[in-house]
PDB file of all heavy atoms in Angstrom:
ATOM      1  N   PHE A 163     145.070 109.222 -54.900  1.00 66.00           N
ATOM      2  CA  PHE A 163     145.470 110.591 -54.997  1.00 66.00           C
ATOM      3  C   PHE A 163     145.521 110.967 -56.456  1.00 66.00           C
ATOM      4  O   PHE A 163     146.487 111.575 -56.990  1.00 66.00           O
ATOM      5  CB  PHE A 163     146.897 110.826 -54.303  1.00 66.00           C
ATOM      6  CG  PHE A 163     146.747 110.861 -52.796  1.00 66.00           C
ATOM      7  CD1 PHE A 163     147.152 109.782 -52.107  1.00 66.00           C
ATOM      8  CD2 PHE A 163     146.182 111.936 -52.225  1.00 66.00           C
ATOM      9  CE1 PHE A 163     146.948 109.782 -50.700  1.00 66.00           C
ATOM     10  CE2 PHE A 163     146.021 111.975 -50.796  1.00 66.00           C
ATOM     11  CZ  PHE A 163     146.400 110.896 -50.085  1.00 66.00           C
ATOM     12  N   SER A 164     144.591 110.626 -57.166  1.00 72.00           N
ATOM     13  CA  SER A 164     144.503 110.817 -58.604  1.00 72.00           C
ATOM     14  C   SER A 164     144.165 112.221 -58.842  1.00 72.00           C
ATOM     15  O   SER A 164     143.811 112.983 -57.984  1.00 72.00           O
ATOM     16  CB  SER A 164     143.515 109.874 -59.248  1.00 72.00           C
ATOM     17  OG  SER A 164     142.296 110.122 -58.674  1.00 72.00           O
ATOM     18  N   GLN A 165     144.092 112.580 -60.163  1.00 76.00           N
ATOM     19  CA  GLN A 165     143.609 113.938 -60.603  1.00 76.00           C
ATOM     20  C   GLN A 165     142.142 114.098 -60.097  1.00 76.00           C
ATOM     21  O   GLN A 165     141.770 115.211 -59.713  1.00 76.00           O
ATOM     22  CB  GLN A 165     143.640 113.939 -62.152  1.00 76.00           C
ATOM     23  CG  GLN A 165     143.299 115.295 -62.767  1.00 76.00           C
ATOM     24  CD  GLN A 165     144.313 116.336 -62.436  1.00 76.00           C
ATOM     25  OE1 GLN A 165     145.512 116.083 -62.278  1.00 76.00           O
ATOM     26  NE2 GLN A 165     143.914 117.590 -62.377  1.00 76.00           N
ATOM     27  N   GLN A 166     141.437 113.013 -60.071  1.00 77.00           N
ATOM     28  CA  GLN A 166     140.037 113.099 -59.702  1.00 77.00           C
ATOM     29  C   GLN A 166     139.896 113.550 -58.274  1.00 77.00           C
ATOM     30  O   GLN A 166     139.049 114.442 -57.931  1.00 77.00           O
ATOM     31  CB  GLN A 166     139.407 111.751 -59.784  1.00 77.00           C
ATOM     32  CG  GLN A 166     137.891 111.703 -59.712  1.00 77.00           C
ATOM     33  CD  GLN A 166     137.274 110.305 -59.689  1.00 77.00           C
ATOM     34  OE1 GLN A 166     138.000 109.309 -59.563  1.00 77.00           O
ATOM     35  NE2 GLN A 166     135.979 110.237 -59.793  1.00 77.00           N
ATOM     36  N   SER A 167     140.682 113.067 -57.369  1.00 79.00           N
ATOM     37  CA  SER A 167     140.622 113.501 -55.969  1.00 79.00           C
ATOM     38  C   SER A 167     141.094 114.891 -55.776  1.00 79.00           C
ATOM     39  O   SER A 167     140.631 115.633 -54.949  1.00 79.00           O
ATOM     40  CB  SER A 167     141.296 112.496 -54.998  1.00 79.00           C
ATOM     41  OG  SER A 167     142.638 112.363 -55.384  1.00 79.00           O
ATOM     42  N   LEU A 168     142.219 115.280 -56.540  1.00 81.00           N
ATOM     43  CA  LEU A 168     142.621 116.628 -56.523  1.00 81.00           C
ATOM     44  C   LEU A 168     141.614 117.607 -56.988  1.00 81.00           C
ATOM     45  O   LEU A 168     141.340 118.665 -56.380  1.00 81.00           O
ATOM     46  CB  LEU A 168     143.914 116.776 -57.466  1.00 81.00           C
ATOM     47  CG  LEU A 168     144.487 118.186 -57.474  1.00 81.00           C
ATOM     48  CD1 LEU A 168     145.133 118.496 -56.019  1.00 81.00           C
ATOM     49  CD2 LEU A 168     145.616 118.253 -58.518  1.00 81.00           C
ATOM     50  N   ASN A 169     140.942 117.235 -58.047  1.00 82.00           N
ATOM     51  CA  ASN A 169     139.821 118.130 -58.587  1.00 82.00           C
ATOM     52  C   ASN A 169     138.650 118.133 -57.520  1.00 82.00           C
ATOM     53  O   ASN A 169     138.047 119.242 -57.384  1.00 82.00           O
ATOM     54  CB  ASN A 169     139.205 117.554 -59.856  1.00 82.00           C
ATOM     55  CG  ASN A 169     140.028 117.851 -61.031  1.00 82.00           C
ATOM     56  OD1 ASN A 169     140.883 118.701 -61.037  1.00 82.00           O
ATOM     57  ND2 ASN A 169     139.856 117.076 -62.096  1.00 82.00           N
ATOM     58  N   PHE A 170     138.393 117.130 -56.831  1.00 83.00           N
ATOM     59  CA  PHE A 170     137.362 117.173 -55.814  1.00 83.00           C
ATOM     60  C   PHE A 170     137.793 118.013 -54.660  1.00 83.00           C
ATOM     61  O   PHE A 170     136.966 118.899 -54.246  1.00 83.00           O
ATOM     62  CB  PHE A 170     137.077 115.724 -55.311  1.00 83.00           C
ATOM     63  CG  PHE A 170     136.243 115.682 -54.054  1.00 83.00           C
ATOM     64  CD1 PHE A 170     134.897 116.042 -54.178  1.00 83.00           C
ATOM     65  CD2 PHE A 170     136.813 115.345 -52.859  1.00 83.00           C
ATOM     66  CE1 PHE A 170     134.118 116.036 -52.975  1.00 83.00           C
ATOM     67  CE2 PHE A 170     136.055 115.353 -51.716  1.00 83.00           C
ATOM     68  CZ  PHE A 170     134.759 115.731 -51.812  1.00 83.00           C
ATOM     69  N   VAL A 171     138.943 117.877 -54.121  1.00 84.00           N
ATOM     70  CA  VAL A 171     139.374 118.701 -53.042  1.00 84.00           C
ATOM     71  C   VAL A 171     139.571 120.194 -53.397  1.00 84.00           C
ATOM     72  O   VAL A 171     139.124 121.139 -52.720  1.00 84.00           O
ATOM     73  CB  VAL A 171     140.715 118.224 -52.511  1.00 84.00           C
ATOM     74  CG1 VAL A 171     141.322 119.200 -51.382  1.00 84.00           C
ATOM     75  CG2 VAL A 171     140.538 116.786 -51.845  1.00 84.00           C
ATOM     76  N   GLY A 172     140.002 120.415 -54.628  1.00 87.00           N
ATOM     77  CA  GLY A 172     140.195 121.816 -55.114  1.00 87.00           C
ATOM     78  C   GLY A 172     138.904 122.426 -55.578  1.00 87.00           C
ATOM     79  O   GLY A 172     138.793 123.643 -55.627  1.00 87.00           O
ATOM     80  N   GLY A 173     137.940 121.620 -55.983  1.00 90.00           N
ATOM     81  CA  GLY A 173     136.663 122.148 -56.492  1.00 90.00           C
ATOM     82  C   GLY A 173     136.780 122.351 -57.982  1.00 90.00           C
ATOM     83  O   GLY A 173     137.360 123.335 -58.413  1.00 90.00           O
ATOM     84  N   SER A 174     136.309 121.446 -58.790  1.00 92.00           N
ATOM     85  CA  SER A 174     136.508 121.487 -60.214  1.00 92.00           C
ATOM     86  C   SER A 174     135.238 121.005 -60.942  1.00 92.00           C
ATOM     87  O   SER A 174     134.512 120.230 -60.473  1.00 92.00           O
ATOM     88  CB  SER A 174     137.685 120.782 -60.697  1.00 92.00           C
ATOM     89  OG  SER A 174     137.774 120.632 -62.053  1.00 92.00           O
ATOM     90  N   LEU A 175     135.074 121.541 -62.178  1.00 92.00           N
ATOM     91  CA  LEU A 175     133.967 121.049 -63.066  1.00 92.00           C
ATOM     92  C   LEU A 175     134.434 120.344 -64.281  1.00 92.00           C
ATOM     93  O   LEU A 175     133.668 120.131 -65.227  1.00 92.00           O
ATOM     94  CB  LEU A 175     133.111 122.320 -63.487  1.00 92.00           C
ATOM     95  CG  LEU A 175     132.366 122.939 -62.319  1.00 92.00           C
ATOM     96  CD1 LEU A 175     132.184 124.426 -62.432  1.00 92.00           C
ATOM     97  CD2 LEU A 175     131.027 122.248 -62.090  1.00 92.00           C
ATOM     98  N   ALA A 176     135.707 119.944 -64.216  1.00 91.00           N
ATOM     99  CA  ALA A 176     136.275 119.232 -65.399  1.00 91.00           C
ATOM    100  C   ALA A 176     135.530 117.977 -65.646  1.00 91.00           C
ATOM    101  O   ALA A 176     135.140 117.232 -64.708  1.00 91.00           O
ATOM    102  CB  ALA A 176     137.795 118.947 -65.093  1.00 91.00           C
ATOM    103  N   ASN A 177     135.372 117.714 -66.929  1.00 89.00           N
ATOM    104  CA  ASN A 177     134.778 116.446 -67.431  1.00 89.00           C
ATOM    105  C   ASN A 177     133.359 116.242 -66.895  1.00 89.00           C
ATOM    106  O   ASN A 177     132.914 115.062 -66.879  1.00 89.00           O
ATOM    107  CB  ASN A 177     135.646 115.220 -66.968  1.00 89.00           C
ATOM    108  CG  ASN A 177     137.080 115.397 -67.426  1.00 89.00           C
ATOM    109  OD1 ASN A 177     137.311 115.857 -68.545  1.00 89.00           O
ATOM    110  ND2 ASN A 177     138.004 115.038 -66.550  1.00 89.00           N
ATOM    111  N   ARG A 178     132.574 117.239 -66.587  1.00 91.00           N
ATOM    112  CA  ARG A 178     131.212 117.051 -66.183  1.00 91.00           C
ATOM    113  C   ARG A 178     130.388 116.894 -67.437  1.00 91.00           C
ATOM    114  O   ARG A 178     130.385 117.731 -68.335  1.00 91.00           O
ATOM    115  CB  ARG A 178     130.732 118.258 -65.378  1.00 91.00           C
ATOM    116  CG  ARG A 178     131.344 118.403 -63.999  1.00 91.00           C
ATOM    117  CD  ARG A 178     131.031 117.182 -63.149  1.00 91.00           C
ATOM    118  NE  ARG A 178     131.655 117.304 -61.849  1.00 91.00           N
ATOM    119  CZ  ARG A 178     132.929 116.896 -61.555  1.00 91.00           C
ATOM    120  NH1 ARG A 178     133.680 116.434 -62.528  1.00 91.00           N
ATOM    121  NH2 ARG A 178     133.464 117.070 -60.366  1.00 91.00           N
ATOM    122  N   GLY A 179     129.635 115.796 -67.425  1.00 92.00           N
ATOM    123  CA  GLY A 179     128.722 115.515 -68.603  1.00 92.00           C
ATOM    124  C   GLY A 179     127.284 115.604 -68.095  1.00 92.00           C
ATOM    125  O   GLY A 179     126.946 115.838 -66.939  1.00 92.00           O
ATOM    126  N   TRP A 180     126.345 115.297 -69.028  1.00 93.00           N
ATOM    127  CA  TRP A 180     124.897 115.371 -68.659  1.00 93.00           C
ATOM    128  C   TRP A 180     124.628 114.363 -67.509  1.00 93.00           C
ATOM    129  O   TRP A 180     123.783 114.723 -66.667  1.00 93.00           O
ATOM    130  CB  TRP A 180     124.055 115.069 -69.935  1.00 93.00           C
ATOM    131  CG  TRP A 180     124.117 116.215 -70.879  1.00 93.00           C
ATOM    132  CD1 TRP A 180     124.556 116.149 -72.201  1.00 93.00           C
ATOM    133  CD2 TRP A 180     123.724 117.554 -70.737  1.00 93.00           C
ATOM    134  NE1 TRP A 180     124.492 117.347 -72.861  1.00 93.00           N
ATOM    135  CE2 TRP A 180     123.938 118.250 -71.984  1.00 93.00           C
ATOM    136  CE3 TRP A 180     123.190 118.254 -69.626  1.00 93.00           C
ATOM    137  CZ2 TRP A 180     123.640 119.600 -72.106  1.00 93.00           C
ATOM    138  CZ3 TRP A 180     122.905 119.601 -69.779  1.00 93.00           C
ATOM    139  CH2 TRP A 180     123.123 120.253 -70.992  1.00 93.00           C
ATOM    140  N   PRO A 181     125.172 113.190 -67.515  1.00 92.00           N
ATOM    141  CA  PRO A 181     124.870 112.339 -66.343  1.00 92.00           C
ATOM    142  C   PRO A 181     125.212 112.825 -65.037  1.00 92.00           C
ATOM    143  O   PRO A 181     124.692 112.477 -63.986  1.00 92.00           O
ATOM    144  CB  PRO A 181     125.676 111.033 -66.625  1.00 92.00           C
ATOM    145  CG  PRO A 181     125.994 111.083 -68.061  1.00 92.00           C
ATOM    146  CD  PRO A 181     126.132 112.507 -68.488  1.00 92.00           C
ATOM    147  N   ASP A 182     126.194 113.782 -65.004  1.00 91.00           N
ATOM    148  CA  ASP A 182     126.523 114.450 -63.739  1.00 91.00           C
ATOM    149  C   ASP A 182     125.569 115.640 -63.417  1.00 91.00           C
ATOM    150  O   ASP A 182     125.370 115.990 -62.301  1.00 91.00           O
ATOM    151  CB  ASP A 182     127.971 115.012 -63.801  1.00 91.00           C
ATOM    152  CG  ASP A 182     128.968 113.929 -64.018  1.00 91.00           C
ATOM    153  OD1 ASP A 182     129.017 112.946 -63.228  1.00 91.00           O
ATOM    154  OD2 ASP A 182     129.637 114.011 -65.106  1.00 91.00           O
ATOM    155  N   VAL A 183     125.074 116.208 -64.432  1.00 94.00           N
ATOM    156  CA  VAL A 183     124.264 117.443 -64.307  1.00 94.00           C
ATOM    157  C   VAL A 183     122.790 117.100 -64.004  1.00 94.00           C
ATOM    158  O   VAL A 183     122.187 117.807 -63.113  1.00 94.00           O
ATOM    159  CB  VAL A 183     124.358 118.329 -65.595  1.00 94.00           C
ATOM    160  CG1 VAL A 183     123.495 119.545 -65.462  1.00 94.00           C
ATOM    161  CG2 VAL A 183     125.848 118.796 -65.810  1.00 94.00           C
ATOM    162  N   MET A 184     122.255 116.137 -64.750  1.00 94.00           N
ATOM    163  CA  MET A 184     120.787 115.909 -64.639  1.00 94.00           C
ATOM    164  C   MET A 184     120.330 115.677 -63.197  1.00 94.00           C
ATOM    165  O   MET A 184     119.319 116.187 -62.812  1.00 94.00           O
ATOM    166  CB  MET A 184     120.433 114.768 -65.612  1.00 94.00           C
ATOM    167  CG  MET A 184     120.580 115.101 -67.083  1.00 94.00           C
ATOM    168  SD  MET A 184     119.968 116.767 -67.538  1.00 94.00           S
ATOM    169  CE  MET A 184     118.270 116.410 -67.592  1.00 94.00           C
ATOM    170  N   PRO A 185     121.017 114.760 -62.435  1.00 94.00           N
ATOM    171  CA  PRO A 185     120.518 114.495 -61.106  1.00 94.00           C
ATOM    172  C   PRO A 185     120.545 115.832 -60.217  1.00 94.00           C
ATOM    173  O   PRO A 185     119.821 115.783 -59.221  1.00 94.00           O
ATOM    174  CB  PRO A 185     121.446 113.470 -60.494  1.00 94.00           C
ATOM    175  CG  PRO A 185     122.186 112.904 -61.666  1.00 94.00           C
ATOM    176  CD  PRO A 185     122.281 114.024 -62.665  1.00 94.00           C
ATOM    177  N   ALA A 186     121.407 116.776 -60.523  1.00 95.00           N
ATOM    178  CA  ALA A 186     121.508 118.002 -59.723  1.00 95.00           C
ATOM    179  C   ALA A 186     120.226 118.826 -59.828  1.00 95.00           C
ATOM    180  O   ALA A 186     119.870 119.584 -58.922  1.00 95.00           O
ATOM    181  CB  ALA A 186     122.669 118.777 -60.040  1.00 95.00           C
TER     182      ALA A 186
END
Side-chain angles (χ1 to χ4, degrees):
Chain A
F163 286 104
S164 60
Q165 186 69 29
Q166 192 187 9
S167 59
L168 181 66
N169 280 343
F170 167 70
V171 174
S174 171
L175 292 148
N177 306 319
R178 292 296 179 275
W180 291 118
D182 300 301
V183 175
M184 296 313 284

